[in-house]
Amino acid sequence: MRSTRLLAVGLALMIVASGCASDPSLKDAAAELQKDTQRLETDDVFKNPSKKLRILQRPDKDIPCDKDKFKRVLRATADYERKGSDVDGHLDLTQGLMENTLVQVLGYKLDFDFSQADAEDGRFIYGTKGDPEVRVTVYVAPDSPTWRLHAMTACLPK
C-alpha cells in the first residue's frame, strides 16, 4: 500500500515536471549559431588570412519564417588554394578539412551522402546539431571560394 502511494506520487511529479519543460526557443538556437560564428573565426585553419574567410551574413537578425516564428542564418565563404590540376584530390582534401571542422570545432553530426563521393563538380556536406536544431550545408567547390557555408536555426518562437 505504501509503495503504491509512493509510486503514484512519483508518477505525478514526473508528469508535472515534464509539463513544465520549456519548448526550444529562438534565443537558445541563435546563441548556438553565434558561437559557431565565433568558433569559425578563431579556428586555426580559418583565421589564417590565406583562407579568406568572409562572414556574409551574421546570425544577428530575426527572419520571419512562419506565423509568429523566426529563424537565424549564418552564411560564410572561405578558400583553399588548389595546388596542381587534380580536381578530385583537391575536393577530397577540402571536403575532409571542412568535415573535420564541422565535427571537431563546431559540434555538428554529419549526414553522409556517398553518391557524390567522386563528383568533380563539387560536393555537399550536411549536418545538424542541438535542440533546438541548427542545420548546416556546405558546398565544397572546385573553384574559389572553396567553401560556401549556410547554417540556420529551426523556425522557432521568440
Side-chain angles (χ1 to χ4, degrees):
M1 183 78 149
R2 187 175 191 182
S3 63
T4 305
R5 275 191 228 154
L6 286 174
L7 183 60
V9 169
L11 242 127
L13 286 174
M14 284 176 43
I15 290 170
V16 168
S18 67
C20 293
S22 63
D23 290 333
S25 74
L26 181 64
K27 181 181 175 184
D28 297 334
E32 187 62 33
L33 207 49
Q34 289 282 9
K35 288 179 199 173
D36 285 353
T37 306
Q38 293 167 348
R39 289 177 189 129
L40 199 58
E41 291 174 317
T42 59
D43 180 59
D44 288 339
V45 171
F46 293 99
K47 71 180 179 183
N48 180 336
S50 71
K51 298 300 182 268
K52 301 175 190 165
L53 175 66
R54 290 185 53 217
I55 305 298
L56 304 174
Q57 183 175 357
R58 292 188 175 274
D60 53 7
K61 292 185 176 116
D62 295 341
I63 301 169
C65 56
D66 203 357
K67 184 178 179 171
D68 299 325
K69 292 184 178 181
F70 301 87
K71 65 182 174 183
R72 296 279 182 102
V73 174
L74 163 64
R75 290 183 335 116
T77 62
D79 202 26
Y80 191 93
E81 185 179 335
R82 183 166 65 182
K83 298 177 178 41
S85 60
D86 180 25
V87 175
D88 193 44
H90 173 71
L91 288 172
D92 287 346
L93 175 70
T94 55
Q95 179 181 356
L97 186 57
M98 181 53 75
E99 287 173 346
N100 186 55
T101 299
L102 290 172
V103 172
Q104 301 294 326
V105 176
L106 302 178
Y108 284 88
K109 179 181 178 201
L110 300 183
D111 303 322
F112 291 101
D113 181 357
F114 296 105
S115 67
Q116 60 178 356
D118 291 326
E120 289 191 4
D121 58 345
R123 300 173 188 169
F124 286 95
I125 303 170
Y126 305 100
T128 56
K129 75 171 171 177
D131 182 28
E133 188 173 87
V134 176
R135 293 181 181 269
V136 67
T137 302
V138 179
Y139 176 64
V140 183
D143 302 313
S144 185
T146 306
W147 297 292
R148 298 156 194 186
L149 183 139
H150 184 264
M152 76 171 112
T153 66
C155 196
L156 299 164
K158 281 191 174 183

